[in-house]
Amino acid sequence: MLIYDYIFIFIVLTLSGLGLLFGIVKSFSKFFTLLIPLFISIFSASKFNTELIAEYSFYNGPGSFFITSILLYIILYLFSKLFFFLIESFLIYLNLSLLNRLIGCLSGLVLGGITGIIFLLGVKRFFNIETLFYNKIKGYLSFFFTI
C-alpha cells in the first residue's frame, strides 16, 4: 500500500468520525448555513436592493449593493441557524439523538468515500499512480457499470 492509500483511509475515517461526533443535522447545518445564504445573497442581492430602495427608501449611494448583500446574508444566516436549531432541539426532545449520530456516521462514511475517490482519481490523473484502493474501486465500478 502506498501513502495515498493511507491518506484515503484517513479521509474516510475522519469524515465518518466527524459525522458520528456531530450528527447529520449539525453536519448539514454547518454546511448549509454557510453556503445557502451565501449563494442566495450573491444571486439575488440586486433584486433585494431594488425592493429595499423602492419600498423602504433604502440608501441608494455607492456601496448600497454591498450593504444589501451583507444584510441579506446576515438575515438568511440567522434564519437558517434558527431552523436547524429547532430541528436539532426537536430530535433531542424525541430522544433521537443517537439515531441522528448514527445516520451522521453513515453520511460521513459516504461523503468520505466520495471525497477519497476524488482524491485517488486526482492522484491517478496528476501522478499516474494506481494505488491498491484505486484498483479495487475501479474493479467494483466496472462490475456495476457492466450490469
Side-chain angles (χ1 to χ4, degrees):
M1 282 187 14
L2 298 172
I3 186 71
Y4 303 114
D5 290 324
Y6 292 114
I7 293 173
F8 173 77
I9 293 170
F10 177 74
I11 289 171
V12 171
L13 291 178
T14 302
L15 288 178
S16 62
L18 287 174
L20 180 65
L21 178 68
F22 294 124
I24 187 121
V25 174
K26 193 167 288 230
S27 299
F28 277 147
S29 77
K30 288 184 184 302
F31 181 70
F32 287 122
T33 301
L34 294 175
L35 286 182
I36 289 180
L38 179 69
F39 287 134
I40 291 174
S41 65
I42 286 173
F43 293 121
S44 64
S46 62
K47 182 174 173 144
F48 189 65
N49 189 18
T50 307
E51 292 295 322
L52 281 178
I53 291 170
E55 294 292 325
Y56 301 108
S57 300
F58 190 70
Y59 173 68
N60 195 12
S64 68
F65 181 76
F66 180 70
I67 293 170
T68 304
S69 61
I70 296 274
L71 182 68
L72 184 61
Y73 178 79
I74 290 171
I75 290 170
L76 290 172
Y77 178 81
L78 291 175
F79 275 123
S80 62
K81 269 295 208 196
L82 177 68
F83 175 71
F84 283 114
F85 175 74
L86 290 175
I87 288 176
E88 190 171 4
S89 298
F90 185 68
L91 287 176
I92 290 172
Y93 176 73
L94 292 177
N95 207 10
L96 295 174
S97 60
L98 179 64
L99 180 66
N100 178 26
R101 289 178 185 249
L102 289 176
I103 294 173
C105 180
L106 290 175
S107 67
L109 184 68
V110 169
L111 181 64
I114 291 171
T115 306
I117 289 170
I118 291 171
F119 170 73
L120 290 178
L121 288 173
V123 167
K124 168 70 171 124
R125 175 144 175 113
F126 293 121
F127 302 120
N128 200 17
I129 298 173
E130 292 186 3
T131 63
L132 177 69
F133 283 118
Y134 176 79
N135 289 331
K136 294 222 184 253
I137 292 170
K138 187 173 76 170
Y140 291 138
L141 289 179
S142 66
F143 173 74
F144 284 118
F145 286 137
T146 58
I147 291 179

